[in-house]
Amino acid sequence: MYTLNQIAAILSGTLQGSAQNAMQYLSVDSRKIFFPADTLFFAIITEQRDGHAYIAELYEQGVRCFIVSKSVNADHYPGAGFVVVPDVLTALQQLAAFHRCQFHIPVIGITGSNGKTIVKEWLNQLLAADYNIVRSPKSYNSQIGVPISVWQMNGANTLAIFEAGISMPGEMEALQKIIQPTTGIITNIGAAHDEGFEDRKQKLAEKLKLFTGVETLVYCKDDTLLHELATTLNVATFTWGKVSDCNIQILSVEKSQRQTTIQLLETNHHLPITNPYTLHLPFTDDASIENGMNCIALCRQFGLSVEQLSQRLLQLHPVEMRLEWKKAINNSYLINDSYSNDLSSLIIALDYLQQQRQTEKETVILSDIFQSGIADSMLYFHVAELLKQRKVERVIGIGSAISKYRQAFSNAGIDTAVFFSTNDFIKQFDTLQFKDEAILLKGSRIFGFEKIAALLERQVHQTVLEINLTALTHNLKYYRSLLQPATKMMVMVKAFGYGSGGAEVAKLLQFNKVDYLAVAYADEGVPLRQAGIHTPIMVMNAEPSTFDALYEYNLEPELYSFSILQAFLSYCQAQAIGDFPVHIKLDTGMHRLGFETTEVKELAAFLAQQNILKIKSVFTHLVASEDPAQDAFTNGQATGFETSCNQLQEAVGYSFIRHAANTAAISRHPHLQLDMVRLGIGLYGVDSGNLANLEVVSTLKSTIAQIKQVQAGETVGYNRRGIVKRDSVIATIRIGYADGYRRELSNGVGSIFVNGQAVPVIGNVCMDMTMIDITDAGALKPGDEVEVFGKNISLQSLAKSCQTIPYEIMTGISQRVKRVYFEE
């Protein structure tokens, strides 16, 4: 831990004010402060956010130490200290690099395009018995994530494993100075972030800069370009592959149903193996085999015996890369993060719990925490304070250590129950009364918390719509990167969040501090307020019957005609309501809703004569912003809109937000961003411009119910429309038009992705079931998963098959389809 005076000296910064606190935690996010008094906040400036804007808010929370690049009047913040530096992000990296230099232990650095986090987690599993390991939380591998990861190093650690990711040239040098790896691994080099580099060679060369000065570099020698560039580093290498001149040669790979058998031959004279030997991996996919080989090579280079590896490899388990938010029993919600348990991942899970908060009561089921580097007598008091900070009401501890220190949680005012084992908990499950609450399941793998998850999860329809909140956040940030710094953003969450779930998506948007939300009707806005959404909400179709709800729940109506304007004004007058925020819709060519441009003069005079309604924004809807052939019309709309806005502003005597740009216009017409833009379906990865930077958010999945052998000449489904032309294998999957899988996809029009390929629909789509021809799809069985749309079958292609648009497909997914929300 460092004092602010020491940090100022390390960073060569100027100290303003004074603070005596020793810093234990670093933060760059005002929403993620757990222990304010011990936190050092870095006021990083990005194109869209300035960390300095949150200093007052953080000071009120109890934060007293700040790294800033703008001068701050310390007199306004008694007891606080500010270190002024030229660049805050650089300062964060410098401080982490200094901290790294205080330790002289092996440090494994991992980079690549794919597999970094999995290799890191598997190495942790394989080496945990021999080392006290500190590692990157989740996939913290960015310019900010790496320094926060390295800051975790403490005197108890005997091995560190950090991953590093880059998206453009010039980034890796900074990460190398922070990590300073002694051993390196480069994983698979795929297409991720290709757009940031000239070609694969440049991307590889940039990634290899992490390994400057390492003692040993581990990689696959079969990749000729990688080998060519690696040899230019002038460092010792430990290679594996099918070529004969590597340290570990793969002689054969045989896959069975559940595991892969690999025969290996070592040619390194430093290792006491000269004969071939066999290892087994509990995976069969090629990516896992490649990641497993990187781990095998590293472990052999670290001195693990073949016997040790043979035992430990079979205990590897899939790395759960995401936090899922699921419906649970008795109107509860469950976050299942039961694959690892350390302080870093606990903080991430608690953060997600807070972000998605939909209930007043929160329960954490927590196992013993191993190898924290902190004595148990201190650790569990620390964890108790962590839960208290996040207002967790109940903790259920499982394990001998957490049971021993249960008093730490009771002293923190948390309702506490403890059990020595998972089986003890299960025996008492019915007495614990889970109802109307959010439950975080957080446990080390050996505790077998999957048994608890099975008890808590509500068993429903096996067709699920998965919503990747990490991808949704990525898309939000991408569109923000296209905006001018002063441009605000309104995000549409109407129609149940385009079928993805209104409250869940709105919580994420609020967490990421969007400026406005928009819904179609008041009865879509009310549940958002009830779920704790306090971001301003515009209602696009206000009706007189909902005026009370608008007022009660602080919803702001769109007014689009004189009749609705007069009705709402009369309501406000009758209720003695003043300065109520409203939004004026102008029709500049859509001819759907809105005041005509010919009515603007009369509208301006009407608004100028009253002081009850306050115009918050004036907007219009662009008819064809995605179509280059209509750009002249779009620009004509913009010109008419600007003229009308000027008339209104002159009449009312004050300014208001102006917005016209929808999703397509954000990228295609940057000159129309004005004061605010409205982001819609682009948030979910669908843009008419087919922007390569967007990520898939929604994946609709189902499972196979039954498989049949059907002879040539027989038929499948209603009306005998599906004619089998050869002896075929037909699978019935649990999805139909009542779920939103449309009948237009019948008889070969639609495809389903299963076992690595697309297979055709055969016969008519039924209400609850659909049949698919899996004759050429390999071995499958009932219960196997299929993808209806997602990364392999795009929403756009599915919509095209139905001769409709992605909006209609998304909003047509039935409410009976379970929504599963997760963060990667």
Side-chain angles (χ1 to χ4, degrees), residues 615-629:
I615 301 176
K616 201 66 177 287
S617 83
V618 176
F619 69 104
T620 193
H621 196 96
L622 301 177
V623 177
S625 60
E626 72 282 0
D627 188 352

Side-chain angles (χ1 to χ4, degrees), residues 274-288:
T274 56
N275 297 319
Y277 60 91
T278 299
L279 293 174
H280 304 282
L281 283 170
F283 310 99
T284 58
D285 60 288
D286 292 339
S288 292

Side-chain angles (χ1 to χ4, degrees), residues 20-42:
Q20 305 304 316
N21 313 45
M23 295 300 99
Q24 188 170 348
Y25 307 100
L26 308 182
S27 177
V28 299
D29 191 332
S30 63
R31 302 161 299 184
K32 300 179 181 180
I33 304 295
F34 285 89
F35 299 100
D38 304 320
T39 296
L40 176 63
F41 180 75
F42 287 77

Side-chain angles (χ1 to χ4, degrees), residues 475-547:
N475 294 342
L476 176 68
K477 290 180 177 179
Y478 172 69
Y479 281 106
R480 272 181 166 165
S481 74
L482 302 179
L483 302 183
Q484 300 298 319
T487 303
K488 299 178 184 294
M489 180 178 283
M490 174 184 284
V491 181
M492 318 304 288
V493 289
K494 60 183 181 176
F496 192 54
Y498 290 84
S500 297
E504 292 81 4
V505 171
K507 282 182 175 291
L508 181 69
L509 297 172
Q510 177 169 277
F511 189 75
N512 283 282
K513 300 187 176 181
V514 302
D515 302 284
Y516 255 95
L517 301 174
V519 297
Y521 298 98
D523 59 7
E524 293 178 331
V526 170
L528 298 185
R529 289 286 187 245
Q530 292 172 334
I533 301 299
H534 52 73
T535 301
I537 299 174
M538 181 178 79
V539 177
M540 304 183 76
N541 292 282
E543 300 169 331
S545 61
T546 64
F547 286 171

Side-chain angles (χ1 to χ4, degrees), residues 17 67 145 151 162 180 262 320 355 380 396 402 419 423 579 594 607 626 698 723 732 776 796:
I67 307 296
W151 182 258
F162 300 123
Q180 299 174 45
I262 308 175
E320 186 56 52
Q355 173 189 303
Y380 292 103
I396 298 172
I402 199 169
F419 301 89
N423 285 337
D579 287 333
L607 292 171
E626 72 282 0
S698 301
I723 300 173
T732 301
D776 301 320
Q796 293 94 320

Side-chain angles (χ1 to χ4, degrees), residues 204-437:
L204 256 174
E206 289 292 325
K207 288 182 179 291
L208 286 168
K209 289 179 180 178
L210 175 63
F211 306 123
T212 303
V214 297
E215 297 169 8
T216 309
L217 175 60
V218 175
Y219 63 91
C220 178
K221 199 172 182 178
D222 294 343
D223 188 328
T224 54
L225 179 58
L226 170 57
H227 178 62
E228 174 192 333
L229 294 175
T231 55
T232 66
L233 293 177
N234 296 317
V235 299
T237 61
F238 192 92
T239 60
W240 62 272
K242 295 181 179 179
V243 295
S244 60
D245 58 343
C246 52
N247 299 105
I248 301 181
Q249 183 185 4
I250 299 175
L251 299 180
S252 66
V253 176
E254 294 184 8
K255 299 179 182 180
S256 63
Q257 188 171 2
R258 295 185 178 276
Q259 70 175 20
T260 300
T261 301
I262 308 175
Q263 188 178 43
L264 303 171
L265 176 66
E266 292 192 7
T267 58
N268 189 309
H269 66 278
H270 295 298
L271 297 172
I273 300 290
T274 56
N275 297 319
Y277 60 91
T278 299
L279 293 174
H280 304 282
L281 283 170
F283 310 99
T284 58
D285 60 288
D286 292 339
S288 292
I289 295 170
E290 181 176 353
N291 292 330
M293 280 304 307
N294 273 314
C295 293
I296 290 168
L298 186 284
C299 289
R300 287 295 290 148
Q301 197 273 331
F302 262 49
L304 259 68
S305 69
V306 172
E307 291 73 21
Q308 288 174 312
L309 261 178
S310 183
Q311 295 172 2
R312 297 180 188 182
L313 284 171
L314 289 175
Q315 297 172 12
L316 289 180
H317 56 81
V319 177
E320 186 56 52
M321 299 291 289
R322 63 196 203 180
L323 292 172
E324 289 189 345
W325 179 267
K326 297 181 178 179
K327 288 291 182 72
I329 59 173
N330 302 326
N331 198 37
S332 295
Y333 295 88
L334 173 67
I335 299 174
N336 184 2
D337 191 23
S338 58
Y339 293 87
S340 64
N341 194 21
D342 53 64
L343 283 176
S344 298
S345 63
L346 176 60
I347 288 172
I348 291 170
L350 288 170
D351 214 35
Y352 184 52
L353 180 66
Q354 183 194 38
Q355 173 189 303
Q356 282 294 331
R357 186 170 192 140
Q358 295 192 29
T359 62
E360 290 300 319
K361 183 179 180 182
E362 293 178 345
T363 293
V364 173
I365 304 176
L366 185 68
S367 79
D368 285 351
I369 298 173
F370 302 119
Q371 291 190 325
S372 67
I374 305 172
D376 285 351
S377 57
M378 299 268 305
L379 171 64
Y380 292 103
F381 284 92
H382 181 77
V383 172
E385 186 62 25
L386 204 60
L387 301 184
K388 181 181 178 181
Q389 288 280 338
R390 282 301 186 250
K391 297 181 173 58
V392 172
E393 290 191 12
R394 177 169 63 158
V395 63
I396 298 172
I398 299 179
S400 57
I402 199 169
S403 296
K404 181 179 179 180
Y405 293 101
R406 66 171 296 169
Q407 195 61 40
F409 300 96
S410 298
N411 291 347
I414 303 171
D415 182 16
T416 307
V418 295
F419 301 89
F420 281 99
S421 70
T422 300
N423 285 337
D424 290 341
F425 167 87
I426 291 172
K427 290 176 184 177
Q428 299 296 318
F429 180 78
D430 290 336
T431 69
L432 293 168
Q433 297 182 338
F434 295 98
K435 186 178 182 181
D436 299 321
E437 59 191 294

Side-chain angles (χ1 to χ4, degrees), residues 565-584:
L565 170 60
Q566 183 61 66
F568 191 65
L569 179 63
S570 299
Y571 170 82
C572 291
Q573 288 173 328
Q575 301 296 324
I577 298 170
D579 287 333
F580 200 96
V582 298
H583 302 261
I584 303 298

Side-chain angles (χ1 to χ4, degrees), residues 710-714 723-729 773-776:
V710 180
Q711 302 300 310
E714 295 189 22
I723 300 173
V724 178
K725 297 180 180 179
R726 57 173 176 165
D727 292 350
S728 300
V729 183
D773 186 340
I774 60 170
T775 308
D776 301 320

